[in-house]
Amino acid sequence: MDSEEPQVIIYDPTLRDGQHAVRHQLGADQFRSYAAAASGAGVPVVEVGHGNGLGASSLQIGQARLGDDEMLVTVREALSGATRMGVFMVPGWGTGRDIRRAAGHGADIVRVAAHCTEANVTARHLGLVRELGLEAQAVLLMSHMTTPQRLAEECGRAAAYGAQAVGIMDSAGHYLPTDVTERVERIVEAVGDVPVIFHGHNNLAMAVANSVAAVEAGARVIDACARGFGAGAGNTQLEVLVAVLHRMGHTTGIDLTSLLHAADTAHDRLMEMPPSIDSLALMSGLAGVFSGFKPRVLSAAVAAGVDPIEVFAELGRRQVVAGQEDLIDDVVRALVGAS
């Protein structure tokens, strides 16, 4: 392990964001085995939950195999050393009651997420997290859908509401490194000493490069998943990112050899297959559409006899965001009518 104070805090949502890739069906033994392996490698934060966060398990967006309580208890018991447990929540899916229950199960960090122009919806929940004595973080989703200046303003608002780290998610894997640099620099300037977060997706094969660009622009908290485990093309690949950061001279506090074994555990125990950049994942990145739409887009497009690539392109033109999955059927019908 690095003996120096980490310059970059690695935040590992393998057991939360990775759930999208397996329809939220991870079981207790899978949670336990990966949490123990990641913790043993010195990963600072392991995030756990339904892919869409606390309280999100539902028929609409997918029922998880385990309830929030069982997931949290299982991972808390498996973590060792200084590894902290994080949870994720989106107001509307999760509630204050969910946050209180997570606190009771030993969560250390609560991330409150909002659409990139709606940081105001995080205020009440961030306040509750602080009242409970947990670390409060705020992240903006689908961050490519607004300007760098607006992102900086929204992150500033979240910091004013009490967020102790703020940042952006490249939810559709749309960014190139120059996009990340411009946005992170603006956010760092706007929030001062508050640590800045970056969360990448790999639709354009840029996730590691974008994460490195974020670090060089001043971000201090970087998200990454073992083997890139996540929806569609997946997330930033954790073990690759840490290796690259170490080669660049950045300290993370993570033992790389142990992390490689943890990545092997994830490969063997968690995923049906590692993420890959297929045509639809690439198109969703280009169009700026959340990769998690892929199963429903494929199903609806095949049933109607239309090209799913065209469906993703139209969803991008309509600027559809997560939670608007019902619009997939509208787009398919429109394409059928136009053919």
Side-chain angles (χ1 to χ4, degrees):
M1 304 248 181
D2 293 322
S3 59
E4 300 176 60
E5 184 72 19
Q7 296 172 324
V8 180
I9 306 299
I10 299 297
Y11 188 105
D12 179 358
T14 298
L15 295 177
R16 195 276 303 171
D17 215 350
Q19 287 256 58
H20 287 295
V22 291
R23 301 169 299 283
H24 320 287
Q25 295 304 298
L26 293 180
D29 287 344
Q30 292 169 300
F31 278 105
R32 188 178 297 110
S33 62
Y34 181 73
S39 182
V43 173
V45 184
V46 170
E47 187 178 77
V48 57
H50 182 281
N52 295 86
L54 296 175
S57 181
S58 65
L59 289 174
Q60 179 191 9
I61 56 175
Q63 288 187 306
R65 180 176 176 182
L66 304 181
D68 288 346
D69 293 341
E70 187 173 358
M71 286 187 270
L72 292 168
V73 168
T74 299
V75 170
R76 180 73 273 169
E77 291 176 349
L79 297 179
S80 60
T83 300
R84 296 183 290 168
M85 184 169 73
V87 294
F88 177 90
M89 71 89 66
V90 181
W93 284 332
T95 66
R97 180 174 178 272
D98 294 312
I99 292 174
R100 292 181 186 278
R101 290 177 71 88
H105 291 309
D108 300 293
I109 299 170
V110 178
R111 271 198 179 168
V112 184
H115 185 63
C116 58
T117 58
E118 299 175 357
N120 59 298
V121 306
T122 68
R124 182 166 62 89
H125 297 94
L126 290 170
L128 173 60
V129 175
R130 295 295 299 269
E131 287 174 18
L132 293 170
L134 309 182
E135 181 175 329
Q137 298 186 357
V139 288
L140 302 178
L141 308 175
M142 300 295 286
S143 62
H144 69 282
M145 296 182 73
T146 191
T147 65
Q149 184 57 37
R150 180 66 182 272
L151 290 174
E153 292 168 359
E154 295 293 328
C155 284
R157 289 188 180 94
Y161 299 148
Q164 294 158 284
V166 296
I168 57 175
M169 289 191 165
D170 182 16
S171 308
H174 186 69
Y175 286 148
L176 300 178
T178 51
D179 301 320
V180 175
T181 297
E182 182 178 13
R183 285 155 177 79
V184 171
E185 286 180 345
R186 291 285 188 92
I187 295 167
V188 169
E189 182 179 359
V191 301
D193 293 335
V194 177
V196 172
I197 301 162
F198 179 74
H199 175 110
H201 283 242
N202 204 39
N203 299 67
L204 303 181
M206 290 285 114
V208 170
N210 286 340
S211 298
V212 170
V215 170
E216 293 184 323
R220 287 203 57 230
V221 181
I222 305 295
D223 293 6
C225 295
R227 288 289 196 275
F229 192 37
N235 297 55
T236 305
Q237 193 165 335
L238 173 61
E239 62 279 9
V240 176
L241 175 66
V242 171
V244 170
L245 291 174
H246 287 191
R247 184 173 178 191
M248 294 175 66
H250 295 288
T251 55
T252 65
I254 295 173
D255 180 77
L256 181 58
T257 300
S258 298
L259 184 66
L260 295 176
H261 292 309
D264 291 339
T265 295
H267 182 278
D268 295 340
R269 299 293 306 276
L270 305 185
M271 55 191 74
E272 297 165 356
M273 64 182 66
S276 63
I277 305 172
D278 61 18
S279 298
L280 289 186
L282 176 58
M283 189 63 206
S284 69
L286 287 173
V289 178
F290 174 51
S291 298
F293 280 16
K294 178 182 172 181
R296 188 158 173 178
V297 167
L298 262 179
S299 176
V302 169
V306 300
D307 187 347
I309 289 175
E310 292 184 12
V311 176
F312 264 114
E314 180 59 25
L315 289 169
R317 284 190 284 270
R318 296 190 186 193
Q319 295 193 312
V320 174
V321 300
Q324 295 181 309
E325 286 85 349
D326 56 317
L327 294 181
I328 294 170
D329 295 328
D330 291 346
V331 166
V332 168
R333 284 192 291 269
L335 290 173
V336 169
S339 61

